[in-house]
């Protein structure tokens, strides 16, 4: 009696629910590198190298822990390319009599897992993924009967549930949210920690060679590959972050600086999302730093909010919204994604900085994703599916459950406000306030029209004008529409013409 336990590429946790309580002697874990996973979007080379290498290392770790692991490589000539195909082959190989799997992280894979019971002649058990604080039923019961879903109220419930940063029933420090203290621009003279660089070992080098050969035309460089690919190394990055970057994390969370891709961010999302790190364990370690007086409350609270607030909330929204969420296009945006999103070749310095570091590291921090690449796509009216597929392809931490609500909902407002109460639209002034990008740009952030004018300025007003019917009634958009109404007609015409001329250059 053998139970086959398929372990997917984002299920690299020793405490995975499908492994719990199993008898190692009668189970075979199946792991497979698959064409269907490497091809559904053109993934960044480093993203693929990271996930495949982490999978191979995890298989070794599981073997060391006494499990039998059947591992199918991408280059195996018999590899069918799909998990269902590999499961069929493995059932035969091992004469397995049962399948036990942890639930999928996204709709596409859920449909595949759900089809197994009909397809195979053995019982299929699908277990809940307990690596999240909030399960599907709990989110549904929280969302039910609410007119508006807002992260802040969900987050407070998660604080109460986890007891993180709580003084009895009250939030530590007397406030739930210290975001008002977290919007400082950074200065270049501040000492900046660089994330740990993990030199590729033999396994990672093999994977990198394979990826470079098989996916030569995909975006991305692997020359600077330095991700951790084991839990042990991911824990080192966690410890490094807690010590060196967490204390000022809150203050400079929204800051951007030229040639500084990482600032005080944790660079832990790839490890959280594959399962190498545990989110609650990480948050407890952050809380311990605060309790030991080593980090201020705005840093500890700000970080914990990202993980038990935003991360859990976007997952809840993803499943709540259903598989058709991806088709939302509330602002009717139809322009194709400009080529420079793949090459970084643009005179707009903020965009070239963000895309160039994405090419080099498969990483950009939140404000770059939201207020540079996301904001530009929003203002320019880029088709949200194109935007979504780009984010899904280029970041090492990108899985649809977390990427889609962030890109389509938060950054493109394509869900009409299900996730965010207003569009994150901003002119060049915001970028100038939060970064030093404008000082070395060929455009002038202070100019609104003319050949040197920063494109974000006219595009911003074009966005406001173009979407008037859809956005004017939103109370949080009252100020921009008040300013638009105050503007002279000639200025409005000049701004819209400037924006149109620029949009024509995008092709
Ligand atoms: C358009 C867009 C697309 C995004 N796509 C992804 C994605 O594919 N995968 C992903 O993990 N995050 C995504 N995010 C959220 C966020 O940008 C990344 O989690 C963060 O930049 C990862 O870097 P870090 O680990 O250094 O984060 P830090 O700034 O150190 O934050 C700590 C942790 O908080 C969590 N977190 C922070 N913000 C969010 C958020 N909005 N949603 C979910 N988790 C959050 C992450 O797990 C992150 O590791 C996206 C944001 C935007 C605006
Ligand atoms: S001037 Fe405009 S385009 Fe140039 S960096 Fe600043 S915001 Fe970006």
């Amino acid at each position: 009696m053998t139970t086959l336990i398929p372990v997917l590429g984002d299920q690299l946790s020793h405490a995975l629910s499908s492994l719990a309580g199993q008898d190692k002697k009668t189970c075979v874990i199946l792991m497979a590198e698959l064409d269907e996973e490497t091809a559904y979007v053109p993934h960044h080379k480093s993203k693929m190298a990271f996930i495949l290498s982490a999978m191979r290392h995890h298989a070794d770790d599981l073997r060391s822990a006494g499990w039998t692991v059947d591992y199918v490589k991408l280059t195996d000539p018999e590899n069918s390319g799909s998990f269902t195909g590999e499961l069929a082959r493995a059932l035969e190989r091992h004469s397995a009599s049962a399948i036990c799997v942890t639930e999928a992280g996204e709709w596409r894979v859920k449909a595949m897992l759900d089809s197994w019971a009909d397809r195979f002649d053995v019982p299929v058990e699908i277990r809940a993924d307990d690596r999240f604080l909030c399960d599907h039923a709990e989110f549904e019961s929280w969302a039910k009967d609410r007119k508006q879903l807002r992260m802040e109220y969900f987050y407070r419930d998660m604080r109460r549930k986890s007891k993180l940063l709580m003084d009895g029933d009250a939030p530590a420090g007397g406030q739930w949210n210290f975001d008002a203290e977290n919007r400082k621009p950074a200065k270049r003279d501040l000492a900046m920690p660089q994330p740990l660089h993990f030199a590729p070992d033999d396994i990672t080098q093999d994977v990198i060679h394979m990826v470079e050969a098989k996916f030569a035309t995909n975006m991305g460089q692997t020359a600077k590959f330095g991700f951790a690919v084991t839990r042990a190394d991911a824990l080192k990055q966690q410890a490094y972050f807690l010590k060196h970057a967490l204390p000022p994390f809150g203050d400079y969370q929204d800051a951007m600086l030229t040639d500084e891709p990482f600032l005080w961010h944790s660079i832990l999302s790839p490890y959280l999302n594959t399962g190498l790190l545990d989110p609650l364990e990480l948050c407890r370690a952050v809380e311990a730093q605060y309790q030991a007086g080593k980090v201020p409350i705005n840093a500890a609270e700000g970080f914990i909010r990202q993980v038990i607030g935003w991360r859990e909330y976007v997952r809840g929204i993803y499943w709540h919204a259903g598989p058709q969420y991806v088709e939302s296009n509330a602002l009717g945006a139809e322009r194709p994604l400009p080529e420079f999103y793949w090459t970084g070749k643009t005179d707009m310095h903020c965009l070239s900085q963000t895309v160039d570091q994405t090419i080099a590291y498969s990483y950009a921090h939140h404000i770059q994703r939201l207020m540079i690449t996301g904001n530009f796509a929003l203002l320019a009216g880029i088709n949200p599916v194109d935007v979504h597929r780009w984010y899904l392809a280029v970041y090492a931490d990108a899985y649809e459950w977390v990427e889609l609500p962030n890109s389509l909902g938060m950054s493109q407002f394509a869900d009409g406000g299900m996730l965010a109460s207003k569009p994150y639209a901003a002119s060049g002034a915001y970028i100038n306030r939060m970064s030093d990008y404008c000082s070395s740009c060929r455009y002038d952030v202070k100019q609104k029209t003319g050949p040197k004018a920063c494109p974000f300025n006219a595009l911003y007003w074009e966005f406001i004008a173009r979407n008037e019917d859809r956005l004017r009634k939103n109370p949080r958009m009252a100020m921009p529409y008040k300013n638009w109404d105050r503007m002279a007609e000639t200025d409005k015409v000049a701004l819209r013409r400037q924006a149109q001329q620029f949009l024509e250059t995008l092709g």
Side-chain angles (χ1 to χ4, degrees), residues 241 249 265-270 272-273 303 306-307 310-311 314 363-366 369-370 391 397-399 402-403 406-407 410-411:
F241 166 70
F249 171 85
H265 292 274
S266 66
I267 332 297
L268 293 176
S269 51
L272 291 170
N273 296 350
F303 187 85
Q306 306 310 314
V307 179
W310 279 113
R311 186 171 184 271
V314 298
Y363 178 83
H365 63 73
H366 186 67
R369 298 187 204 195
L370 185 63
Y391 281 104
D397 58 21
Y399 296 87
V402 54
E403 171 278 327
N406 270 300
S407 61
M410 191 188 300
S411 91

mmCIF file of all heavy atoms in Angstrom, residues 241 249 265-270 272-273 303 306-307 310-311 314 363-366 369-370 391 397-399 402-403 406-407 410-411, ligand 1:
data_model
loop_
_atom_site.group_PDB
_atom_site.id
_atom_site.type_symbol
_atom_site.label_atom_id
_atom_site.label_comp_id
_atom_site.label_asym_id
_atom_site.label_seq_id
_atom_site.Cartn_x
_atom_site.Cartn_y
_atom_site.Cartn_z
ATOM 1 N N PHE A 241 18.307 40.152 7.891
ATOM 2 C CA PHE A 241 17.312 41.234 7.781
ATOM 3 C C PHE A 241 16.931 41.751 9.168
ATOM 4 O O PHE A 241 16.887 42.963 9.406
ATOM 5 C CB PHE A 241 16.071 40.725 7.029
ATOM 6 C CG PHE A 241 14.891 41.638 7.174
ATOM 7 C CD1 PHE A 241 14.876 42.886 6.566
ATOM 8 C CD2 PHE A 241 13.789 41.272 7.952
ATOM 9 C CE1 PHE A 241 13.793 43.754 6.719
ATOM 10 C CE2 PHE A 241 12.705 42.135 8.105
ATOM 11 C CZ PHE A 241 12.715 43.375 7.489
ATOM 12 N N PHE A 249 13.432 49.815 8.560
ATOM 13 C CA PHE A 249 12.509 49.340 7.517
ATOM 14 C C PHE A 249 11.278 50.246 7.407
ATOM 15 O O PHE A 249 10.867 50.642 6.314
ATOM 16 C CB PHE A 249 12.077 47.897 7.816
ATOM 17 C CG PHE A 249 10.969 47.393 6.924
ATOM 18 C CD1 PHE A 249 11.250 46.838 5.685
ATOM 19 C CD2 PHE A 249 9.627 47.474 7.323
ATOM 20 C CE1 PHE A 249 10.224 46.378 4.852
ATOM 21 C CE2 PHE A 249 8.604 47.015 6.493
ATOM 22 C CZ PHE A 249 8.905 46.471 5.264
ATOM 23 N N HIS A 265 14.602 46.629 2.495
ATOM 24 C CA HIS A 265 13.584 45.587 2.358
ATOM 25 C C HIS A 265 14.170 44.230 2.743
ATOM 26 O O HIS A 265 15.382 44.051 2.781
ATOM 27 C CB HIS A 265 13.029 45.587 0.935
ATOM 28 C CG HIS A 265 12.242 46.841 0.664
ATOM 29 N ND1 HIS A 265 10.911 46.946 0.994
ATOM 30 C CD2 HIS A 265 12.614 48.049 0.177
ATOM 31 C CE1 HIS A 265 10.501 48.165 0.692
ATOM 32 N NE2 HIS A 265 11.503 48.860 0.194
ATOM 33 N N SER A 266 13.276 43.274 2.989
ATOM 34 C CA SER A 266 13.749 42.005 3.556
ATOM 35 C C SER A 266 14.254 41.032 2.497
ATOM 36 O O SER A 266 15.061 40.163 2.785
ATOM 37 C CB SER A 266 12.612 41.333 4.335
ATOM 38 O OG SER A 266 11.563 40.950 3.452
ATOM 39 N N ILE A 267 13.762 41.131 1.281
ATOM 40 C CA ILE A 267 14.059 40.179 0.178
ATOM 41 C C ILE A 267 13.724 38.755 0.640
ATOM 42 O O ILE A 267 14.476 37.802 0.401
ATOM 43 C CB ILE A 267 15.542 40.271 -0.306
ATOM 44 C CG1 ILE A 267 16.143 41.649 -0.081
ATOM 45 C CG2 ILE A 267 15.689 39.824 -1.773
ATOM 46 C CD1 ILE A 267 15.489 42.779 -0.849
ATOM 47 N N LEU A 268 12.592 38.633 1.308
ATOM 48 C CA LEU A 268 12.196 37.314 1.817
ATOM 49 C C LEU A 268 10.991 36.726 1.076
ATOM 50 O O LEU A 268 10.665 35.554 1.267
ATOM 51 C CB LEU A 268 11.877 37.405 3.324
ATOM 52 C CG LEU A 268 13.084 37.716 4.227
ATOM 53 C CD1 LEU A 268 12.638 37.888 5.679
ATOM 54 C CD2 LEU A 268 14.149 36.629 4.129
ATOM 55 N N SER A 269 10.350 37.507 0.211
ATOM 56 C CA SER A 269 9.123 37.006 -0.429
ATOM 57 C C SER A 269 9.338 35.727 -1.249
ATOM 58 O O SER A 269 8.479 34.838 -1.215
ATOM 59 C CB SER A 269 8.481 38.093 -1.307
ATOM 60 O OG SER A 269 9.437 38.640 -2.168
ATOM 61 N N PRO A 270 10.454 35.557 -1.971
ATOM 62 C CA PRO A 270 10.607 34.288 -2.705
ATOM 63 C C PRO A 270 10.614 33.089 -1.760
ATOM 64 O O PRO A 270 10.103 32.013 -2.100
ATOM 65 C CB PRO A 270 11.973 34.433 -3.406
ATOM 66 C CG PRO A 270 12.222 35.901 -3.468
ATOM 67 C CD PRO A 270 11.581 36.468 -2.234
ATOM 68 N N LEU A 272 9.224 32.989 1.385
ATOM 69 C CA LEU A 272 7.892 32.810 1.990
ATOM 70 C C LEU A 272 6.961 32.107 1.009
ATOM 71 O O LEU A 272 6.219 31.209 1.373
ATOM 72 C CB LEU A 272 7.299 34.174 2.363
ATOM 73 C CG LEU A 272 7.988 34.911 3.514
ATOM 74 C CD1 LEU A 272 7.473 36.342 3.607
ATOM 75 C CD2 LEU A 272 7.758 34.183 4.837
ATOM 76 N N ASN A 273 7.033 32.516 -0.250
ATOM 77 C CA ASN A 273 6.042 32.014 -1.218
ATOM 78 C C ASN A 273 6.339 30.595 -1.709
ATOM 79 O O ASN A 273 5.436 29.915 -2.191
ATOM 80 C CB ASN A 273 5.927 32.967 -2.415
ATOM 81 C CG ASN A 273 5.396 34.324 -1.995
ATOM 82 O OD1 ASN A 273 4.952 34.500 -0.866
ATOM 83 N ND2 ASN A 273 5.454 35.294 -2.891
ATOM 84 N N PHE A 303 6.236 45.999 9.222
ATOM 85 C CA PHE A 303 6.613 44.737 8.579
ATOM 86 C C PHE A 303 5.539 43.672 8.801
ATOM 87 O O PHE A 303 5.104 42.995 7.855
ATOM 88 C CB PHE A 303 7.970 44.246 9.102
ATOM 89 C CG PHE A 303 8.460 43.057 8.344
ATOM 90 C CD1 PHE A 303 9.170 43.220 7.163
ATOM 91 C CD2 PHE A 303 8.175 41.756 8.765
ATOM 92 C CE1 PHE A 303 9.588 42.126 6.418
ATOM 93 C CE2 PHE A 303 8.596 40.659 8.034
ATOM 94 C CZ PHE A 303 9.309 40.843 6.857
ATOM 95 N N GLN A 306 2.595 43.962 6.597
ATOM 96 C CA GLN A 306 2.771 43.477 5.224
ATOM 97 C C GLN A 306 2.489 41.974 5.142
ATOM 98 O O GLN A 306 1.919 41.492 4.171
ATOM 99 C CB GLN A 306 4.207 43.715 4.710
ATOM 100 C CG GLN A 306 4.731 45.127 4.797
ATOM 101 C CD GLN A 306 3.777 46.142 4.219
ATOM 102 O OE1 GLN A 306 3.232 45.962 3.149
ATOM 103 N NE2 GLN A 306 3.536 47.212 4.961
ATOM 104 N N VAL A 307 2.907 41.253 6.192
ATOM 105 C CA VAL A 307 2.845 39.787 6.107
ATOM 106 C C VAL A 307 1.477 39.231 6.551
ATOM 107 O O VAL A 307 0.815 38.529 5.781
ATOM 108 C CB VAL A 307 4.001 39.136 6.908
ATOM 109 C CG1 VAL A 307 3.919 37.614 6.840
ATOM 110 C CG2 VAL A 307 5.347 39.617 6.361
ATOM 111 N N TRP A 310 -1.340 42.471 4.482
ATOM 112 C CA TRP A 310 -1.427 42.468 3.019
ATOM 113 C C TRP A 310 -1.311 41.078 2.392
ATOM 114 O O TRP A 310 -2.082 40.703 1.517
ATOM 115 C CB TRP A 310 -0.367 43.397 2.406
ATOM 116 C CG TRP A 310 -0.819 44.816 2.443
ATOM 117 C CD1 TRP A 310 -0.285 45.836 3.181
ATOM 118 C CD2 TRP A 310 -1.933 45.387 1.724
ATOM 119 N NE1 TRP A 310 -0.992 46.988 2.966
ATOM 120 C CE2 TRP A 310 -1.998 46.750 2.076
ATOM 121 C CE3 TRP A 310 -2.871 44.884 0.829
ATOM 122 C CZ2 TRP A 310 -2.969 47.610 1.546
ATOM 123 C CZ3 TRP A 310 -3.840 45.735 0.306
ATOM 124 C CH2 TRP A 310 -3.884 47.072 0.669
ATOM 125 N N ARG A 311 -0.332 40.311 2.830
ATOM 126 C CA ARG A 311 -0.110 39.008 2.173
ATOM 127 C C ARG A 311 -1.326 38.091 2.342
ATOM 128 O O ARG A 311 -1.776 37.444 1.395
ATOM 129 C CB ARG A 311 1.166 38.374 2.748
ATOM 130 C CG ARG A 311 1.597 37.091 2.060
ATOM 131 C CD ARG A 311 2.979 36.679 2.552
ATOM 132 N NE ARG A 311 3.431 35.497 1.833
ATOM 133 C CZ ARG A 311 3.179 34.248 2.209
ATOM 134 N NH1 ARG A 311 2.488 34.013 3.319
ATOM 135 N NH2 ARG A 311 3.622 33.227 1.486
ATOM 136 N N VAL A 314 -4.452 39.693 0.299
ATOM 137 C CA VAL A 314 -4.503 39.504 -1.163
ATOM 138 C C VAL A 314 -4.830 38.044 -1.501
ATOM 139 O O VAL A 314 -5.522 37.768 -2.471
ATOM 140 C CB VAL A 314 -3.226 39.981 -1.910
ATOM 141 C CG1 VAL A 314 -2.992 41.464 -1.720
ATOM 142 C CG2 VAL A 314 -2.011 39.173 -1.560
ATOM 143 N N TYR A 363 13.944 41.172 -9.045
ATOM 144 C CA TYR A 363 13.441 41.804 -7.813
ATOM 145 C C TYR A 363 13.216 43.295 -8.019
ATOM 146 O O TYR A 363 14.034 43.975 -8.655
ATOM 147 C CB TYR A 363 14.448 41.625 -6.652
ATOM 148 C CG TYR A 363 13.981 42.316 -5.383
ATOM 149 C CD1 TYR A 363 13.083 41.682 -4.524
ATOM 150 C CD2 TYR A 363 14.399 43.614 -5.057
ATOM 151 C CE1 TYR A 363 12.614 42.324 -3.383
ATOM 152 C CE2 TYR A 363 13.937 44.254 -3.913
ATOM 153 C CZ TYR A 363 13.050 43.596 -3.081
ATOM 154 O OH TYR A 363 12.572 44.227 -1.949
ATOM 155 N N ALA A 364 12.123 43.786 -7.533
ATOM 156 C CA ALA A 364 11.927 45.223 -7.317
ATOM 157 C C ALA A 364 11.090 45.323 -6.067
ATOM 158 O O ALA A 364 10.288 44.426 -5.774
ATOM 159 C CB ALA A 364 11.208 45.871 -8.496
ATOM 160 N N HIS A 365 11.287 46.392 -5.295
ATOM 161 C CA HIS A 365 10.509 46.453 -4.052
ATOM 162 C C HIS A 365 9.123 47.035 -4.324
ATOM 163 O O HIS A 365 8.802 47.440 -5.439
ATOM 164 C CB HIS A 365 11.272 47.162 -2.932
ATOM 165 C CG HIS A 365 11.588 48.596 -3.192
ATOM 166 N ND1 HIS A 365 10.630 49.575 -3.150
ATOM 167 C CD2 HIS A 365 12.753 49.202 -3.502
ATOM 168 C CE1 HIS A 365 11.199 50.731 -3.410
ATOM 169 N NE2 HIS A 365 12.479 50.541 -3.642
ATOM 170 N N HIS A 366 8.309 47.063 -3.288
ATOM 171 C CA HIS A 366 6.889 47.324 -3.461
ATOM 172 C C HIS A 366 6.603 48.667 -4.144
ATOM 173 O O HIS A 366 5.762 48.753 -5.046
ATOM 174 C CB HIS A 366 6.207 47.265 -2.088
ATOM 175 C CG HIS A 366 4.727 47.374 -2.169
ATOM 176 N ND1 HIS A 366 3.946 46.397 -2.742
ATOM 177 C CD2 HIS A 366 3.875 48.355 -1.793
ATOM 178 C CE1 HIS A 366 2.675 46.765 -2.695
ATOM 179 N NE2 HIS A 366 2.610 47.952 -2.134
ATOM 180 N N ARG A 369 7.264 48.607 -7.786
ATOM 181 C CA ARG A 369 6.237 47.861 -8.530
ATOM 182 C C ARG A 369 4.942 48.668 -8.615
ATOM 183 O O ARG A 369 4.275 48.679 -9.644
ATOM 184 C CB ARG A 369 5.948 46.506 -7.838
ATOM 185 C CG ARG A 369 7.150 45.596 -7.796
ATOM 186 C CD ARG A 369 6.769 44.203 -7.266
ATOM 187 N NE ARG A 369 7.924 43.543 -6.693
ATOM 188 C CZ ARG A 369 7.987 42.251 -6.412
ATOM 189 N NH1 ARG A 369 6.961 41.465 -6.662
ATOM 190 N NH2 ARG A 369 9.064 41.722 -5.877
ATOM 191 N N LEU A 370 4.613 49.327 -7.495
ATOM 192 C CA LEU A 370 3.321 50.029 -7.456
ATOM 193 C C LEU A 370 3.392 51.400 -8.122
ATOM 194 O O LEU A 370 2.533 51.741 -8.938
ATOM 195 C CB LEU A 370 2.879 50.175 -5.991
ATOM 196 C CG LEU A 370 1.496 50.768 -5.749
ATOM 197 C CD1 LEU A 370 0.405 49.885 -6.344
ATOM 198 C CD2 LEU A 370 1.243 50.951 -4.243
ATOM 199 N N TYR A 391 4.081 41.033 -14.605
ATOM 200 C CA TYR A 391 4.491 40.873 -13.200
ATOM 201 C C TYR A 391 4.664 39.388 -12.848
ATOM 202 O O TYR A 391 5.565 39.017 -12.104
ATOM 203 C CB TYR A 391 3.477 41.520 -12.254
ATOM 204 C CG TYR A 391 3.620 43.016 -12.153
ATOM 205 C CD1 TYR A 391 2.742 43.876 -12.785
ATOM 206 C CD2 TYR A 391 4.654 43.589 -11.408
ATOM 207 C CE1 TYR A 391 2.869 45.254 -12.683
ATOM 208 C CE2 TYR A 391 4.795 44.958 -11.298
ATOM 209 C CZ TYR A 391 3.900 45.789 -11.939
ATOM 210 O OH TYR A 391 4.050 47.145 -11.839
ATOM 211 N N ASP A 397 9.289 36.116 -6.837
ATOM 212 C CA ASP A 397 8.266 35.771 -5.835
ATOM 213 C C ASP A 397 6.876 35.645 -6.431
ATOM 214 O O ASP A 397 5.892 35.548 -5.701
ATOM 215 C CB ASP A 397 8.249 36.835 -4.717
ATOM 216 C CG ASP A 397 7.982 38.249 -5.255
ATOM 217 O OD1 ASP A 397 7.440 38.396 -6.365
ATOM 218 O OD2 ASP A 397 8.338 39.221 -4.543
ATOM 219 N N ALA A 398 6.769 35.654 -7.780
ATOM 220 C CA ALA A 398 5.441 35.803 -8.389
ATOM 221 C C ALA A 398 4.699 34.485 -8.581
ATOM 222 O O ALA A 398 5.117 33.617 -9.352
ATOM 223 C CB ALA A 398 5.570 36.528 -9.720
ATOM 224 N N TYR A 399 3.623 34.352 -7.851
ATOM 225 C CA TYR A 399 2.621 33.287 -8.033
ATOM 226 C C TYR A 399 1.293 33.999 -8.163
ATOM 227 O O TYR A 399 1.070 35.028 -7.524
ATOM 228 C CB TYR A 399 2.602 32.326 -6.825
ATOM 229 C CG TYR A 399 3.895 31.597 -6.675
ATOM 230 C CD1 TYR A 399 4.924 32.165 -5.949
ATOM 231 C CD2 TYR A 399 4.113 30.375 -7.315
ATOM 232 C CE1 TYR A 399 6.151 31.522 -5.844
ATOM 233 C CE2 TYR A 399 5.326 29.728 -7.210
ATOM 234 C CZ TYR A 399 6.352 30.305 -6.481
ATOM 235 O OH TYR A 399 7.552 29.690 -6.376
ATOM 236 N N VAL A 402 -0.808 35.796 -5.301
ATOM 237 C CA VAL A 402 -0.319 37.025 -4.650
ATOM 238 C C VAL A 402 -0.081 38.131 -5.675
ATOM 239 O O VAL A 402 -0.290 39.308 -5.409
ATOM 240 C CB VAL A 402 0.939 36.723 -3.775
ATOM 241 C CG1 VAL A 402 2.017 36.032 -4.555
ATOM 242 C CG2 VAL A 402 1.497 37.978 -3.117
ATOM 243 N N GLU A 403 0.318 37.735 -6.875
ATOM 244 C CA GLU A 403 0.636 38.737 -7.906
ATOM 245 C C GLU A 403 -0.610 39.376 -8.499
ATOM 246 O O GLU A 403 -0.669 40.597 -8.702
ATOM 247 C CB GLU A 403 1.498 38.045 -8.987
ATOM 248 C CG GLU A 403 1.747 38.853 -10.234
ATOM 249 C CD GLU A 403 0.589 38.780 -11.211
ATOM 250 O OE1 GLU A 403 -0.088 37.732 -11.287
ATOM 251 O OE2 GLU A 403 0.330 39.806 -11.874
ATOM 252 N N ASN A 406 -2.426 42.100 -6.521
ATOM 253 C CA ASN A 406 -1.537 43.259 -6.426
ATOM 254 C C ASN A 406 -1.454 44.021 -7.745
ATOM 255 O O ASN A 406 -1.499 45.244 -7.759
ATOM 256 C CB ASN A 406 -0.123 42.808 -6.028
ATOM 257 C CG ASN A 406 0.073 42.795 -4.525
ATOM 258 O OD1 ASN A 406 -0.063 43.812 -3.862
ATOM 259 N ND2 ASN A 406 0.382 41.624 -3.976
ATOM 260 N N SER A 407 -1.310 43.295 -8.851
ATOM 261 C CA SER A 407 -1.124 43.999 -10.127
ATOM 262 C C SER A 407 -2.475 44.466 -10.675
ATOM 263 O O SER A 407 -2.693 45.658 -10.900
ATOM 264 C CB SER A 407 -0.372 43.131 -11.134
ATOM 265 O OG SER A 407 -1.083 41.959 -11.415
ATOM 266 N N MET A 410 -4.615 46.202 -6.976
ATOM 267 C CA MET A 410 -3.994 47.358 -6.332
ATOM 268 C C MET A 410 -3.396 48.330 -7.347
ATOM 269 O O MET A 410 -3.614 49.523 -7.285
ATOM 270 C CB MET A 410 -2.900 46.899 -5.355
ATOM 271 C CG MET A 410 -2.408 48.038 -4.474
ATOM 272 S SD MET A 410 -0.977 47.638 -3.461
ATOM 273 C CE MET A 410 -1.535 46.308 -2.454
ATOM 274 N N SER A 411 -2.623 47.830 -8.298
ATOM 275 C CA SER A 411 -1.883 48.781 -9.139
ATOM 276 C C SER A 411 -2.677 49.252 -10.353
ATOM 277 O O SER A 411 -2.470 50.360 -10.813
ATOM 278 C CB SER A 411 -0.523 48.205 -9.553
ATOM 279 O OG SER A 411 -0.598 47.520 -10.772
HETATM 280 C C1 LIG B 1 2.091 45.315 -8.972
HETATM 281 C C2 LIG B 1 2.581 44.495 -7.817
HETATM 282 C C3 LIG B 1 2.878 43.164 -7.995
HETATM 283 C C4 LIG B 1 3.302 42.391 -6.904
HETATM 284 N N1 LIG B 1 3.555 41.066 -7.102
HETATM 285 C C5 LIG B 1 3.942 40.303 -6.049
HETATM 286 C C6 LIG B 1 4.207 38.923 -6.221
HETATM 287 O O1 LIG B 1 4.098 38.383 -7.320
HETATM 288 N N2 LIG B 1 4.603 38.196 -5.147
HETATM 289 C C7 LIG B 1 4.740 38.774 -3.903
HETATM 290 O O2 LIG B 1 5.116 38.075 -2.965
HETATM 291 N N3 LIG B 1 4.482 40.062 -3.720
HETATM 292 C C8 LIG B 1 4.095 40.856 -4.744
HETATM 293 N N4 LIG B 1 3.855 42.180 -4.546
HETATM 294 C C9 LIG B 1 3.943 42.730 -3.178
HETATM 295 C C10 LIG B 1 5.324 43.288 -2.790
HETATM 296 O O3 LIG B 1 5.746 44.207 -3.757
HETATM 297 C C11 LIG B 1 6.364 42.188 -2.617
HETATM 298 O O4 LIG B 1 5.876 41.237 -1.701
HETATM 299 C C12 LIG B 1 7.658 42.741 -2.049
HETATM 300 O O5 LIG B 1 8.161 43.744 -2.897
HETATM 301 C C13 LIG B 1 8.656 41.614 -1.889
HETATM 302 O O6 LIG B 1 9.909 42.109 -1.501
HETATM 303 P P1 LIG B 1 10.439 41.953 -0.009
HETATM 304 O O7 LIG B 1 10.392 40.537 0.405
HETATM 305 O O8 LIG B 1 11.758 42.643 0.063
HETATM 306 O O9 LIG B 1 9.326 42.751 0.779
HETATM 307 P P2 LIG B 1 9.343 43.649 2.095
HETATM 308 O O10 LIG B 1 9.150 45.056 1.703
HETATM 309 O O11 LIG B 1 10.499 43.329 2.952
HETATM 310 O O12 LIG B 1 7.968 43.190 2.797
HETATM 311 C C14 LIG B 1 7.910 42.054 3.654
HETATM 312 C C15 LIG B 1 6.987 40.992 3.175
HETATM 313 O O13 LIG B 1 5.647 41.446 3.205
HETATM 314 C C16 LIG B 1 4.897 40.775 2.206
HETATM 315 N N5 LIG B 1 4.213 41.789 1.420
HETATM 316 C C17 LIG B 1 4.460 43.109 1.378
HETATM 317 N N6 LIG B 1 3.550 43.749 0.605
HETATM 318 C C18 LIG B 1 2.742 42.798 0.120
HETATM 319 C C19 LIG B 1 1.619 42.815 -0.749
HETATM 320 N N7 LIG B 1 1.141 43.954 -1.270
HETATM 321 N N8 LIG B 1 1.060 41.640 -1.060
HETATM 322 C C20 LIG B 1 1.506 40.486 -0.551
HETATM 323 N N9 LIG B 1 2.554 40.412 0.288
HETATM 324 C C21 LIG B 1 3.156 41.553 0.624
HETATM 325 C C22 LIG B 1 5.858 39.966 1.375
HETATM 326 O O14 LIG B 1 5.763 38.619 1.736
HETATM 327 C C23 LIG B 1 7.213 40.539 1.748
HETATM 328 O O15 LIG B 1 8.245 39.597 1.671
HETATM 329 C C24 LIG B 1 3.443 42.978 -5.623
HETATM 330 C C25 LIG B 1 3.150 44.334 -5.470
HETATM 331 C C26 LIG B 1 2.710 45.088 -6.547
HETATM 332 C C27 LIG B 1 2.386 46.518 -6.334
#
